[in-house]
């Protein structure tokens, strides 16, 4: 018999969020991450990007549940229900949750086999309840691995292992991920990323999260501190220079020295 997991359950559902409005998308991502019952592996704005993600999932990329809005701008006459309808006969399809402001589609949605129906404005309590229901319906396979990160390169989706990431950068309303393969766009906030992968990342600035394993140099110039994150040292190095905020400069230095030897400390 399936049991409903507690908030600290070791397995977290892998979720894709499909929502064209950035504030609503980011807020739903934050609620899902805050539940500790699921991790968001992708957040996209269009049905085209969602179909790409589902195609990759059918090829072996792990995806447990899709949270999809009904009305999506730029999708012609297609709606989130069309995404559900297209996979209704696929035994490998993930679970679907309609996340919308419209009540009137509930009967059709449940007839198509959606697993839950969330009405805006979303609340933490309602999202937690939804995810507990989903957990009760789907348990992980023993082979389930760590979460991967879905980024965008133009119209394509790029799947990255957390161990490949050098750093995450936030600028305005955009988030970028820096990797050996290049820099890609994300539709997740730094807060959401930190909630999913926080133990493997270090916050060095309000706009930067870095993978400490790739920190190669620390530079101090007067009151400013910077680190180089990437591969190599010297002219052949590849990576990104990251500013360290003043209040985090000493903790970052202490963290790096705590796991290193070779420097005389006075």
């Amino acid at each position: 018999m399936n049991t409903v997991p507690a908030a600290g359950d070791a397995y977290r559902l892998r979720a894709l969020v499909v929502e064209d409005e950035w504030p609503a998308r980011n807020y739903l991502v934050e609620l899902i991450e805050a539940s500790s019952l699921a991790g968001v592996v992708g957040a996209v704005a269009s049905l085209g990007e969602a179909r790409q993600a589902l195609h990759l999932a059918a090829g072996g990329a792990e995806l447990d549940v899709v949270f999809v809005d009904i009305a999506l701008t730029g999708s012609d006459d297609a709606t989130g229900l069309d995404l559900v309808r297209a996979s209704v006969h696929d035994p490998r399809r993930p679970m679907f949750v309609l996340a919308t402001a419209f009540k009137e589609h509930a009967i059709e949605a449940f007839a198509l086999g959606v697993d839950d129906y969330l009405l805006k404005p979303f609340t933490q309590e309602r999202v937690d309840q939804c995810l507990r229901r989903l957990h009760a319906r789907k348990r992980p396979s023993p082979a389930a691995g760590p979460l991967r990160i879905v980024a965008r390169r133009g119209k394509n989706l790029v799947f990255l292992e957390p161990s490949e990431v050098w750093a995450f950068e936030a600028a305005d309303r955009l988030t970028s991920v820096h990797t050996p393969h290049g820099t890609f766009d994300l539709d997740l906030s730094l807060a959401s990323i930190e909630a999913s992968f926080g133990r493997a990342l270090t916050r060095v600035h309000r706009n930067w999260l870095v993978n400490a394993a790739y920190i190669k140099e620390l530079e101090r110039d007067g009151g400013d501190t910077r680190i180089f994150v990437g591969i190599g040292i010297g002219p052949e190095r590849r990576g990104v220079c990251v500013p360290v905020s003043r209040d985090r400069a000493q903790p970052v230095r202490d963290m790096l020295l705590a796991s290193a030897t070779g420097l005389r400390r006075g």
Side-chain angles (χ1 to χ4, degrees):
M1 182 179 71
N2 288 330
T3 58
V4 177
D9 194 290
Y11 178 72
R12 300 204 300 166
L13 297 172
R14 302 161 190 267
L16 172 70
V17 174
V18 186
E19 165 64 64
D20 60 327
E21 296 182 1
W22 186 89
R25 182 170 67 245
N26 195 53
Y27 183 54
L28 181 54
V29 167
E30 290 178 356
L31 293 178
I32 293 170
E33 293 286 358
S35 73
S36 299
L37 295 168
V40 177
V41 299
V44 298
S46 70
L47 289 180
E49 292 173 313
R51 291 186 183 106
Q52 278 190 315
L54 287 172
H55 177 72
L56 290 169
E62 295 288 343
L63 186 61
D64 295 315
V65 57
V66 179
F67 289 80
V68 59
D69 194 4
I70 290 179
L72 297 165
T73 57
S75 298
D76 300 322
D77 294 328
T79 70
L81 283 172
D82 293 307
L83 190 68
V84 180
R85 191 177 291 112
S87 62
V88 70
H89 298 299
D90 186 350
R92 299 169 301 173
R93 79 171 191 170
M95 295 180 286
F96 280 93
V97 175
L98 266 292
T100 179
F102 303 101
K103 299 179 180 179
E104 59 268 27
H105 300 284
I107 294 176
E108 182 182 2
F110 283 113
L112 290 172
V114 301
D115 294 272
D116 209 338
Y117 200 97
L118 294 180
L119 283 174
K120 298 178 181 178
F122 309 126
T123 66
Q124 188 68 65
E125 181 181 5
R126 182 65 182 89
V127 170
D128 289 353
Q129 180 190 58
C130 169
L131 290 170
R132 289 183 182 280
R133 288 175 179 173
L134 300 183
H135 257 279
R137 295 175 187 178
K138 180 180 178 66
R139 301 306 295 163
S141 64
L147 293 175
R148 293 201 294 170
I149 299 157
V150 183
R152 290 186 287 121
R153 182 178 59 187
K155 295 182 179 180
N156 297 331
L157 298 181
V158 179
F159 285 77
L160 302 166
E161 299 295 334
S163 59
E164 296 179 291
V165 171
W166 291 339
F168 294 96
E169 177 187 7
D172 297 323
R173 284 189 165 187
L174 299 176
T175 303
S176 301
V177 55
H178 299 272
T179 78
H181 313 295
T183 300
F184 308 102
D185 296 327
L186 288 173
D187 287 325
L188 300 177
S189 67
L190 287 190
S192 298
I193 294 166
E194 194 169 20
S196 290
F197 304 100
R199 292 183 181 179
L201 300 171
T202 299
R203 175 79 73 160
V204 300
H205 189 278
R206 64 180 179 140
N207 293 331
W208 286 89
L209 284 169
V210 305
N211 185 340
Y214 287 105
I215 298 177
K216 297 299 182 185
E217 294 184 41
L218 183 146
E219 175 188 351
R220 282 183 166 178
D221 183 9
D224 296 329
T225 301
R226 290 180 292 274
I227 54 177
F228 177 78
V229 185
I231 299 173
I233 296 174
E236 302 301 320
R237 70 184 188 177
R238 291 193 301 126
V240 58
C241 287
V242 177
V244 180
S245 62
R246 294 195 176 189
D247 62 316
R248 291 180 171 90
Q250 191 60 46
V252 168
R253 186 176 188 274
D254 292 343
M255 175 199 69
L256 293 172
L257 292 178
S259 58
T261 187
L263 182 69
R264 180 182 298 167
R265 305 179 196 183

